């Protein structure tokens, strides 16, 4: 009798835990979906600002100075790239995490990793600062090199002693130099706007992978329930 | 643990772009037609491409292949498909940015991409704002929700 009651209790606990896990997946999925849509809206605003600034720069500098004929088709590597690392979702699954590496120059050699934000699958909490608390950059792994996060407050010097802030500015200027030596301040503003758009896009990409992962989990759970 | 799918990690990966040309009278007067024949770019408008190039994502390799495509009126669906297939098969590309307008032209191909890397992100262009209803991932979610609601009604 006692054993039957114990077994019944254990079964109920198991069902309760299963339900809890399903709810957690669903909540994480909905949370990532909400974050995805919010960030896309933010991206649209940032891009609109960038387009306007680019149009202003074209107006100030002239259409002949800002057109596609000036695009650099010489062999060159991207100054801004991504680092892809692996994030463990659970024991059976992992998903990629993207980190933006802005203005990484081959002249700089090894740099410190600067600010690294840990990633934990947690629910977002809405507050006045729209993007705070959102899943941020992942924990990096040891198999990378020549990498740093573009965080102005965490700069350290390169091997040559040049401050990284200065290196960033040099890289930015190099990118702007395609359109001439003296460029409109609006073009510089447009550059910063598109840099912000890039940061938003990397966040969107991370939320995108989380959303897909949670979507698969929820889909699996629903199939198990129906089956 | 032995059966976990392998994630392709990378210390330095690229962002690819496929964009549609901003069709305005201002653009037509200032742009030369020849330059769009060989420019492969994100899926955004020309200004978006230039903007992201300013941000430093442009890459030209030793074979003079770029990581971007600009889609104009002369660009065929086949060319867009070939560019998309190339970008999604390259090992050095982690994210493909494609304007939603162009993605709609190759919707079947975009929807059939189910690998985690590269991530395909649909973004707005100047002429065509973002529509969540057309997004590949969100439409899959919507289909799932509608299928489940029909199934639960039947039960």
């Amino acid at each position: 009798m006692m054993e039957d009651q114990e077994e019944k209790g254990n079964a109920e606990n198991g069902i309760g835990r299963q339900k809890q896990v399903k709810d957690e997946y669903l909540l994480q999925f909905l949370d990532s979906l909400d974050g995805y849509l919010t960030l896309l809206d933010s991206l649209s605003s940032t891009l609109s600002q960038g387009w306007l600034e680019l149009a202003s720069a074209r107006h100030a500098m002239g259409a002949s100075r800002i057109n596609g004929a000036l695009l650099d088709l010489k062999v060159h590597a991207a100054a801004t790239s991504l680092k892809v690392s692996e994030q463990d979702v659970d024991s059976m699954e992992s998903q990629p995490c993207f980190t933006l590496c802005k203005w990484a120059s081959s002249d700089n050699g090894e740099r410190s990793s600067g600010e690294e934000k840990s990633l934990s699958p947690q629910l977002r909490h809405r507050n006045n600062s729209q993007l705070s608390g959102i899943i941020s950059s992942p924990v990096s792994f040891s198999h990378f090199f020549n990498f740093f996060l573009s965080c102005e407050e965490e700069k350290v010097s390169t091997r040559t002693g040049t401050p990284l802030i200065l290196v960033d500015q040099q890289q930015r200027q190099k990118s702007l130099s395609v359109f001439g030596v003296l460029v409109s301040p609006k073009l510089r503003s447009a550059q910063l706007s598109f840099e912000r758009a890039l940061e938003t896009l990397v966040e969107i990409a991370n939320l995108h992978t989380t959303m897909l992962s949670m979507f698969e989990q929820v889909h699996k759970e629903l199939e198990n329930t129906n089956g | 643990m032995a059966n976990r799918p392998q994630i392709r990690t990378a210390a330095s990966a690229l962002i690819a772009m496929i964009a549609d040309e901003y069709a305005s009278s201002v653009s037509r007067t200032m742009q030369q037609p020849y330059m769009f024949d060989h420019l492969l770019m994100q899926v955004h408008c020309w200004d978006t491409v230039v903007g992201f190039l300013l941000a430093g994502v442009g890459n030209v390799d030793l074979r003079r292949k770029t990581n971007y495509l600009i889609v104009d009126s002369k660009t065929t669906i086949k060319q867009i498909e070939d560019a998309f297939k190339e970008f999604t098969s390259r090992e050095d590309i982690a994210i493909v940015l494609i304007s939603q307008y162009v993605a709609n032209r190759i919707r079947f191909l975009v929807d059939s991409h189910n690998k985690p890397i590269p991530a395909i992100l649909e973004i707005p262009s100047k002429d065509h704002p973002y529509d969540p209803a057309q997004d590949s991932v969100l439409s899959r979610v919507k289909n799932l929700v509608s299928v489940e609601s029909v199934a639960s009604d039947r039960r």
Side-chain angles (χ1 to χ4, degrees), chain A residues 141-189:
Chain A
F141 291 83
S142 59
H143 55 282
F144 74 93
F145 41 86
N146 290 336
F147 163 76
F148 74 97
L149 284 175
S150 173
C151 178
E152 298 289 339
E153 294 78 21
E154 300 287 336
K155 298 294 186 182
V156 297
S157 294
T158 64
R159 283 183 181 166
T160 59
T162 312
L164 284 173
I165 292 175
L166 194 57
V167 168
D168 276 4
Q169 291 302 328
Q170 287 171 351
Q171 290 295 320
R172 282 198 180 95
Q173 188 56 40
K174 194 176 164 187
S175 186
L176 283 171
S177 64
V178 170
F179 300 104
V181 176
L182 293 174
V183 296
S184 165
K186 283 293 180 185
L187 194 63
R188 294 181 193 277
S189 304

Side-chain angles (χ1 to χ4, degrees), chain B residues 69-87:
Chain B
L69 166 69
I70 298 182
V71 175
D72 60 2
S73 55
K74 295 177 192 170
T75 311
T76 61
I77 300 288
K78 177 85 172 49
Q79 284 174 309
I80 302 171
E81 286 177 351
D82 288 344
F84 184 82
K85 284 176 189 169
E86 184 200 331
F87 289 155

Side-chain angles (χ1 to χ4, degrees), chain A residues 33 36 40 51 58 67-69 71 76-82 84 88 91 94 103 175 191 208 211 215 219 226, chain B residues 1 4 7 9-10 12-13 30 35 46-48 51 53-56 58-60 130 135 137-138 140 144 148 155:
Chain A
L33 179 63
Y36 183 78
L40 275 167
W51 292 328
R58 189 177 292 120
N67 64 65
L71 290 176
H76 68 275
T80 297
S81 59
L82 295 168
V84 183
D88 290 332
S91 62
S94 60
W103 307 116
S175 186
Q191 186 180 47
H208 182 260
M211 194 169 68
F215 174 73
H219 195 200
N226 294 338
Chain B
M1 291 284 283
R4 281 173 61 176
I7 300 293
T9 57
S12 178
M30 75 181 188
M35 69 189 170
W46 188 88
D47 275 4
T48 313
L53 289 183
L54 280 174
N59 185 81
V60 182
Y130 176 76
D135 188 283
V137 172
L138 297 181
R140 278 171 63 186
L144 171 69
E148 283 306 315
R155 285 195 297 272

